[in-house]
C-alpha cells in the first residue's frame, strides 16, 4: 500500500458514503472542502477505513487529523506495524 | 446476516440505474437489492436513494411511523432500520425527537412525538443512566429496590405513550456497556454493574409482559454476537454511539423483524428440502442404508440437529412442509423406516416430493395450507435451486445456507424469519391442528359430496363475548390474519383491553370443534357499542383463520350475530369492507350474507347493510353451543 493507492481507496469510500462520484481526495483536502462531509460522515469514513483495512485508529488521532494526508500517513503507519 | 445472499457485483451500478419514471418499480428494485448481505456503507448508499424517492402509497408495502426515543445518538441506526424494513416491505418513516428531550415528548400529550402520530415507539434506556450510580456495596434488597423504582418509572412512560397514542411500544433492554469488576464473582455481587444490568433487564421483562410492551432484547444479541461487536468504546467517546456503527445492520434487522411480527408479517411455514438438507446423500442413489443421518458421526449429527430444530419450531407453532425433487415413495419411506429420523410424516403438513419444478410445488404448498407465499421459508442446500426460487418467487424467503451442514441451524435461527410477539396456547396446538387438517382432507376425498363431508365433520362452534382468557389469541388473530380480514384494522392487545373496559366495543370470539379435534379460537368479530344509532349493530372488523375456510363457519357466525342483534332489538347490521392486497377472498362476503351495499361508502371502504327482518338464516352443518 502506498499513499496514492490509499487516496484512491479513501476517495472511493467517501464517494459511496456521500453518493458523489466526483469526489477526489488529495493529501491537503480538509473536510470543509467536501460538501456533506459532516462529523457524522467523518465517523462513518473512519469506521469504513478501519473495516476495509483491518486497522484501528486511536481516539486522539481521530480528533486531531486535519487533512486527508494526516489520515493517510497514520493509516500507512498502522499498516506497517 | 449470513442468511442473506452476497450482494451482486454491480450493486452500486444497479442503484444508480433505477428507473426514474416509475416510483413503484423503483421501490420494488430497492427492496430486492436490500435483500442481500450489506455492510454499513452499502446500507447507507441504499438508504440514501430510498429516502430520496417518494413513492406515495405503493402497493404491497406498508408504511410504519416509528419514533425512537433515546438519550444517546441513534442517527446512525436509521439507515439500517429503514433498509431492514424495506426487506420486509415496510416503509419506515422515523422520528427521533430532540436530543435528550424524550421525557417531555412522552409526558406532553401535544408534543411533537404525538403530532408525528407514531405506529411504533421504541424506547432505549442506557446502562450509563440506569445503573452506574448504584453503590457497589448495595445489598441485594437495596439494589432491587432502586432498580424496581427505575423500572417502574419506565413503565410509567410506557403507560403515557399508550394513553396518548395508539402506538405499539417497544423497549430495548439495557446494553451491558460495563466491564467486569471482580471477574466471575460479578455474577454474585448484588451491586456489581454486570449483575445490576441483568437484574434491571429481568425487571423490564416482567413489566413489559404486564404492560403489553414488546422487548428488543439486545442483551441476548450481545450473548450471541459478543458484546464487543455491539459496543465500541471509541465510538461512544467520539459521538455517543452506544451501538457501534458496524452493528447497526443487525440492530435494524432485530427491530424490523419485531415490527413485522407485530404487523402479522412474520413467516409461518418452513419448507424443507430432503437430500443433503435433512440427511446427507441422495436417497435415490444411496438408498435408505446409505444416507448419512444420526449418531456416530459428526455429519449425521449435524443433519439430526436440523431436524431437531425444525421440530422445535413446529412446537412453537411453525408449520413444516417438504418440497423435494425425489421419488415420492422412496422419500416417504425414509420418514417411516429410517431409525434415526427425528421428523415423522405426521410432522409434515404438506409433503411434495416429485420431479416437477420446485416453484410449482411451493405454490401448491401455499395453496394447500391456505397461506400466502410471503409466509414461507424454503430451506435447500442447493445454491442453484435457491437462486431459481428467489428469481421465480421473490416473496418466499430462501436462506443462503452455508456449505457446512453443521452451520445450517445457526443460519436459519439467526435470520429472524419467525419473530413472534406472543406465544399462545393456540401456537402450541397448531401442529396438531394442521395434522388434523390432513385427516379432514382425506375424509373430504372419500366423502360423496361437500355436504356429506361437512355433515360428517360433526362441527360445533362456541361463542364468547369479551372473555378475558381469549384476548391474547384474539389480538394475535386480528394482527396476523390477512385473507379473511374485512377492514384490515389491527388493534394491539392494549387497545382491545381499553376498548372493552370503556365499553366502546364488544369482542366476540368463536371456537370450532370437530371430530378431528379442537381448531381453537378461529374467528373474532369486533362490534361497536357506542354507535349513535341504537337500532344498528356495527361490525368494526371481522377476521377468521384461513384454516377453517370453506366450512360454512362465516354463515353460522352471521346467524349467531343476527340472533344477538335481534335480542338487543336492533333492526340493521352494518359492515365495512376495506380491500387490501390479500383479502379478495372476502370481497363479496357481506353480499353472500344477504347485505346490500350502501351508497355511503366508497371503493376503498365499502359499507354494507343488512335489514334484520329480511335475513334468511343460513343452513349449515354446524351446531352452536356456548355462553352467548
Amino acid at each position: 500500500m502506498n499513499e496514492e493507492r490509499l487516496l484512491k481507496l479513501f476517495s472511493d469510500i467517501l464517494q459511496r458514503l456521500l453518493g458523489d462520484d466526483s469526489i477526489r481526495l488529495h493529501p491537503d483536502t480538509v473536510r470543509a472542502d467536501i460538501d456533506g462531509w459532516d462529523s457524522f460522515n467523518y465517523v462513518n469514513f473512519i469506521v469504513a477505513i478501519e473495516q476495509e483495512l483491518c486497522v484501528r485508529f486511536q481516539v486522539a488521532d481521530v480528533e486531531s487529523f486535519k487533512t486527508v494526508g494526516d489520515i493517510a500517513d497514520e493509516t500507512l503507519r498502522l499498516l506497517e506495524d | 446476516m449470513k442468511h442473506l445472499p452476497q450482494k451482486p457485483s454491480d450493486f452500486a451500478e444497479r442503484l444508480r440505474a433505477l428507473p426514474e419514471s416509475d416510483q413503484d418499480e423503483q421501490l420494488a428494485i430497492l427492496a430486492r437489492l436490500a435483500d442481500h448481505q450489506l455492510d454499513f456503507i452499502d446500507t447507507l448508499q441504499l438508504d440514501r436513494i430510498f429516502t430520496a424517492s417518494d413513492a406515495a402509497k405503493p402497493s404491497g408495502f406498508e408504511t410504519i411511523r416509528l419514533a425512537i426515543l433515546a438519550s444517546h445518538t441513534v442517527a446512525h441506526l436509521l439507515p439500517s432500520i429503514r433498509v431492514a424494513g424495506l426487506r420486509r416491505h415496510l416503509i419506515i418513516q422515523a422520528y427521533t425527537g430532540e436530543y435528550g428531550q424524550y421525557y417531555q415528548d412522552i409526558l406532553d400529550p401535544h408534543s411533537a412525538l404525538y403530532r408525528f402520530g407514531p405506529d411504533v415507539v421504541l424506547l432505549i434506556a442506557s446502562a450509563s443512566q440506569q445503573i452506574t450510580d448504584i453503590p457497589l456495596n448495595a445489598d441485594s434488597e437495596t439494589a432491587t429496590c432502586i432498580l424496581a423504582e427505575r423500572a417502574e418509572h419506565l413503565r410509567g412512560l410506557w403507560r403515557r405513550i399508550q394513553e396518548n397514542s395508539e402506538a405499539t411500544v417497544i423497549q430495548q433492554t439495557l446494553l451491558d456497556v460495563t466491564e467486569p469488576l471482580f471477574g466471575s464473582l460479578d455474577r454474585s455481587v448484588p451491586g456489581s454493574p454486570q449483575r445490576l444490568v441483568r437484574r434491571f433487564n429481568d425487571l423490564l421483562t416482567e413489566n413489559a409482559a404486564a404492560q403489553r410492551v414488546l422487548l428488543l432484547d439486545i442483551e441476548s444479541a450481545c450473548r450471541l454476537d459478543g458484546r464487543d461487536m455491539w459496543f465500541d468504546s471509541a465510538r461512544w467517546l467520539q459521538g455517543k454511539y452506544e451501538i457501534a456503527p458496524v452493528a447497526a445492520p443487525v440492530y435494524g434487522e432485530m427491530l424490523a423483524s419485531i415490527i413485522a411480527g407485530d404487523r402479522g408479517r412474520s413467516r409461518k411455514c418452513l419448507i424443507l428440502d430432503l437430500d443433503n438438507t435433512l440427511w446427507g446423500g441422495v436417497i435415490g442413489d444411496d438408498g435408505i442404508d446409505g444416507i448419512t443421518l444420526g449418531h456416530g458421526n459428526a455429519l449425521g449429527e449435524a443433519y439430526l440437529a436440523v431436524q431437531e430444530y425444525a421440530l422445535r419450531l413446529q412446537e412453537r407453532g411453525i408449520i413444516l412442509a417438504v418440497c423435494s425433487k425425489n421419488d415420492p415413495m422412496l422419500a416417504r419411506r425414509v420418514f417411516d423406516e429410517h431409525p434415526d429420523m427425528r421428523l415423522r410424516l405426521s410432522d409434515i403438513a404438506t409433503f411434495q416430493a416429485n420431479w416437477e419444478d420446485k416453484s410449482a410445488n411451493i405454490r401448491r404448498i401455499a395453496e394447500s395450507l391456505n397461506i400466502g407465499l410471503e409466509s414461507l421459508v424454503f430451506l435447500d442446500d442447493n445454491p442453484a435451486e435457491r437462486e431459481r426460487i428467489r428469481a421465480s418467487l421473490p416473496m418466499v424467503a430462501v436462506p443462503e445456507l452455508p456449505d457446512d451442514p453443521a452451520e445450517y441451524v445457526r443460519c436459519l435461527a439467526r435470520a429472524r424469519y419467525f419473530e413472534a410477539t406472543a406465544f399462545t396456547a393456540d401456537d402450541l396446538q397448531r401442529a396438531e391442528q394442521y395434522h388434523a387438517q390432513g385427516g379432514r382432507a382425506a375424509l373430504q376425498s372419500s366423502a360423496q359430496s361437500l355436504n356429506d363431508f361437512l355433515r360428517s365433520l360433526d362441527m360445533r362452534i362456541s361463542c364468547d363475548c369479551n372473555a378475558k382468557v381469549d384476548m391474547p389469541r384474539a389480538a394475535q388473530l386480528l394482527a396476523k390474519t390477512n385473507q379473511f380480514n374485512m377492514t384490515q384494522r389491527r388493534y394491539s392487545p392494549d387497545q382491545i383491553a381499553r376498548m372493552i373496559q370503556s365499553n366502546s366495543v364488544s369482542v366476540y370470539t368463536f371456537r370450532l370443534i370437530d371430530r378431528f379435534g379442537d381448531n381453537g379460537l378461529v374467528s373474532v368479530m369486533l362490534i361497536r357499542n357506542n354507535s349513535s344509532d341504537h337500532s344498528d349493530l356495527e361490525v368494526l372488523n371481522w377476521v377468521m383463520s384461513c384454516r377453517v375456510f370453506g366450512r360454512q363457519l362465516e354463515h353460522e357466525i352471521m346467524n349467531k350475530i343476527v340472533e344477538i342483534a335481534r335480542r338487543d332489538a336492533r333492526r340493521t347490521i352494518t359492515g365495512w369492507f376495506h380491500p387490501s392486497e390479500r383479502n379478495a377472498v372476502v370481497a363479496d362476503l357481506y353480499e353472500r350474507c344477504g347485505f346490500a351495499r350502501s351508497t355511503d361508502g366508497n371503493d376503498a371502504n365499502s359499507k354494507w347493510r343488512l335489514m334484520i327482518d329480511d335475513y334468511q338464516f343460513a343452513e349449515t352443518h354446524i351446531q352452536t353451543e356456548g355462553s352467548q
Side-chain angles (χ1 to χ4, degrees):
Chain A
M1 187 62 77
N2 57 37
E3 187 176 50
E4 196 190 326
R5 284 172 60 191
L6 215 48
L7 288 172
K8 167 88 184 58
L9 176 76
F10 286 3
S11 302
D12 189 56
I13 289 173
L14 201 61
Q15 284 173 8
R16 290 172 64 205
L17 276 176
L18 301 181
D20 178 355
D21 294 346
S22 71
I23 292 174
R24 299 283 178 277
L25 296 177
H26 306 283
D28 57 353
T29 310
V30 296
R31 263 170 49 199
D33 297 337
I34 309 280
D35 270 353
W37 201 5
D38 53 13
S39 58
F40 177 64
N41 277 310
Y42 179 56
V43 175
N44 286 337
F45 180 71
I46 294 293
V47 174
I49 298 171
E50 289 190 350
Q51 278 214 305
E52 193 74 26
L53 299 174
C54 297
V55 295
R56 177 81 172 168
F57 298 109
Q58 292 191 22
V59 170
D61 291 333
V62 173
E63 271 191 325
S64 66
F65 292 141
K66 296 240 169 355
T67 63
V68 168
D70 295 343
I71 305 175
D73 290 346
E74 179 59 16
T75 308
L76 285 172
R77 200 188 62 76
L78 289 171
L79 285 171
E80 274 160 27
D81 279 354
Chain B
M1 309 250 287
K2 299 245 170 68
H3 63 285
L4 294 170
Q6 294 289 336
K7 67 175 177 186
S9 53
D10 58 348
F11 176 76
E13 286 74 32
R14 287 201 209 182
L15 276 182
R16 249 180 261 133
L18 287 178
E20 280 192 16
S21 51
D22 188 344
Q23 299 279 9
D24 282 9
E25 177 61 15
Q26 219 180 69
L27 206 57
I29 295 174
L30 284 174
R32 276 203 294 279
L33 279 175
D35 231 350
H36 292 92
Q37 263 184 57
L38 305 179
D39 66 21
F40 88 100
I41 305 188
D42 301 324
T43 306
L44 285 171
Q45 274 184 291
L46 198 147
D47 178 63
R48 187 170 350 92
I49 293 175
F50 167 54
T51 45
S53 80
D54 55 348
K57 180 71 186 168
S59 55
F61 287 80
E62 185 180 358
T63 303
I64 301 286
R65 300 173 73 78
L66 165 72
I68 304 180
L69 305 176
S71 51
H72 53 75
T73 308
V74 292
H76 65 300
L77 303 175
L78 300 181
S80 294
I81 291 169
R82 284 189 288 254
V83 169
L86 204 48
R87 281 187 193 118
R88 293 161 179 81
H89 284 213
L90 300 174
I91 296 184
I92 296 182
Q93 294 171 347
Y95 163 93
T96 52
E98 292 288 312
Y99 192 78
Q101 299 275 309
Y102 72 85
Y103 286 109
Q104 294 90 314
D105 237 4
I106 292 171
L107 299 180
D108 173 10
H110 306 292
S111 67
L113 167 66
Y114 300 120
R115 285 202 305 277
F116 170 69
D119 300 305
V120 179
V121 177
L122 169 67
L123 217 61
I124 307 179
S126 290
S128 52
Q129 285 180 327
Q130 302 288 344
I131 62 123
T132 41
D133 60 333
I134 299 175
L136 187 60
N137 64 1
D139 59 22
S140 179
E141 206 177 317
T142 314
T144 302
C145 199
I146 301 173
L147 293 176
E149 198 178 297
R150 290 180 186 178
E152 197 51 44
H153 174 71
L154 264 178
R155 187 175 177 176
L157 295 179
W158 302 342
R159 248 187 232 123
R160 294 300 284 267
I161 300 169
Q162 290 171 336
E163 283 161 12
N164 290 329
S165 75
E166 308 276 288
T168 299
V169 180
I170 304 179
Q171 173 70 49
Q172 185 205 287
T173 55
L174 292 188
L175 174 62
D176 188 357
V177 300
T178 69
E179 294 296 341
L181 200 52
F182 295 96
S184 291
L185 188 66
D186 278 311
R187 214 182 165 85
S188 321
V189 176
S192 92
Q194 285 193 353
R195 163 100 181 235
L196 290 172
V197 169
R198 280 209 188 88
R199 187 86 192 86
F200 189 75
N201 282 340
D202 286 343
L203 289 165
L204 279 187
T205 308
E206 287 160 27
N207 285 351
Q211 197 65 33
R212 301 192 190 89
V213 159
L214 304 177
L215 290 178
L216 191 163
D217 191 10
I218 201 147
E219 194 190 0
S220 84
C222 286
R223 223 166 12 241
L224 293 171
D225 307 320
R227 200 286 311 261
D228 292 349
M229 181 197 104
W230 281 92
F231 178 72
D232 180 335
S233 54
R235 304 302 163 233
W236 174 250
L237 296 166
Q238 281 158 353
K240 294 289 173 282
Y241 294 64
E242 196 178 68
I243 289 148
V246 293
V250 186
Y251 193 88
E253 278 290 294
M254 286 182 78
L255 178 58
S257 62
I258 296 170
I259 296 174
D262 188 47
R263 315 300 289 193
R265 286 174 175 266
S266 281
R267 302 201 179 247
K268 297 172 182 153
C269 169
L270 175 65
I271 304 176
L272 302 153
D273 168 51
L274 298 179
D275 293 330
N276 291 314
T277 301
L278 287 190
W279 56 71
V282 176
I283 185 65
D285 297 338
D286 303 323
I288 204 156
D289 306 322
I291 58 172
T292 309
L293 176 67
H295 296 290
N297 79 69
L299 185 60
E301 288 184 31
Y303 289 111
L304 262 193
V306 176
Q307 297 198 14
E308 272 158 10
Y309 190 73
L311 276 174
R312 295 315 297 262
L313 285 175
Q314 189 211 37
E315 207 179 328
R316 52 152 286 197
I318 305 303
I319 311 159
L320 301 182
V322 160
C323 171
S324 167
K325 279 189 181 153
N326 239 313
D327 179 314
M329 298 306 288
L330 268 178
R332 283 170 183 270
R333 252 187 71 204
V334 184
F335 284 74
D336 280 334
E337 292 175 18
H338 197 291
D340 287 316
M341 277 297 285
R342 281 284 193 282
L343 286 166
R344 294 284 147 203
L345 281 176
S346 58
D347 297 317
I348 309 298
T350 300
F351 199 102
Q352 294 285 342
N354 51 49
W355 300 105
E356 285 172 54
D357 181 48
K358 282 194 181 178
S359 57
N361 280 319
I362 288 176
R363 277 184 189 283
R364 215 165 285 147
I365 289 171
E367 277 160 28
S368 76
L369 297 173
N370 208 356
I371 55 180
L373 288 165
E374 67 288 336
S375 297
L376 306 177
V377 175
F378 177 50
L379 200 71
D380 194 321
D381 67 293
N382 183 331
E385 295 283 8
R386 293 197 296 256
E387 256 327 290
R388 210 163 298 154
I389 298 303
R390 282 191 199 113
S392 58
L393 303 173
M395 321 68 128
V396 176
V398 186
E400 190 62 3
L401 286 182
D403 292 338
D404 188 348
E407 306 281 341
Y408 284 3
V409 171
R410 176 158 47 184
C411 175
L412 175 63
R414 300 297 173 86
R416 302 174 205 280
Y417 294 128
F418 306 110
E419 191 84 19
T421 53
F423 184 39
T424 65
D426 212 65
D427 292 324
L428 277 169
Q429 290 168 4
R430 187 156 310 123
E432 227 171 275
Q433 290 165 347
Y434 273 94
H435 187 50
Q437 189 88 11
R440 290 182 197 106
L443 175 68
Q444 183 163 15
S445 59
S446 67
Q448 302 278 327
S449 70
L450 181 63
N451 256 331
D452 291 344
F453 163 66
L454 291 173
R455 190 177 318 118
S456 61
L457 276 176
D458 194 13
M459 293 181 282
R460 283 153 288 153
I461 60 164
S462 65
C463 167
D464 285 286
C465 180
N466 297 341
K468 215 166 177 186
V469 57
D470 282 346
M471 287 310 125
R473 168 63 181 158
Q476 189 188 46
L477 205 59
L478 279 164
K480 286 174 66 174
T481 306
N482 295 311
Q483 299 184 75
F484 193 124
N485 188 331
M486 298 307 293
T487 62
Q488 306 294 315
R489 289 176 70 169
R490 299 172 197 273
Y491 304 85
S492 71
D494 202 53
Q495 278 171 276
I496 294 173
R498 269 182 282 155
M499 292 189 301
I500 293 176
Q501 206 177 8
S502 66
N503 197 31
S504 59
V505 299
S506 296
V507 180
Y508 285 90
T509 48
F510 301 88
R511 308 175 158 272
L512 178 70
I513 299 166
D514 64 26
R515 63 183 265 208
F516 290 100
D518 185 352
N519 292 271
L521 202 167
V522 290
S523 184
V524 180
M525 193 185 269
L526 260 66
I527 289 177
R528 188 162 157 186
N529 291 331
N530 57 356
S531 165
S532 53
D533 180 359
H534 293 295
S535 68
D536 180 60
L537 182 151
E538 183 180 349
V539 179
L540 288 174
N541 198 8
W542 182 11
V543 301
M544 189 185 293
S545 163
C546 53
R547 285 203 305 270
V548 294
F549 284 7
R551 312 262 296 263
Q552 305 173 328
L553 191 60
E554 59 275 30
H555 293 292
E556 189 57 33
I557 289 176
M558 189 48 74
N559 287 346
K560 186 77 207 160
I561 293 301
V562 169
E563 264 175 44
I564 290 170
R566 275 200 177 147
R567 185 196 65 194
D568 297 346
R570 317 262 193 179
R571 295 180 43 238
T572 54
I573 297 178
T574 299
W576 298 89
F577 174 67
H578 183 130
S580 76
E581 290 267 293
R582 299 188 266 179
N583 68 356
V585 65
V586 288
D588 62 347
L589 177 70
Y590 282 128
E591 199 176 351
R592 284 193 283 122
C593 290
F595 286 56
R597 187 161 169 184
S598 150
T599 47
D600 294 359
N602 52 43
D603 280 347
N605 200 5
S606 59
K607 186 177 179 182
W608 297 82
R609 183 150 271 199
L610 177 76
M611 306 304 292
I612 286 175
D613 285 343
D614 298 345
Y615 182 70
Q616 308 266 335
F617 279 87
E619 297 269 345
T620 70
H621 294 286
I622 307 171
Q623 309 288 320
T624 304
E625 49 187 44
S627 50
Q628 280 298 311

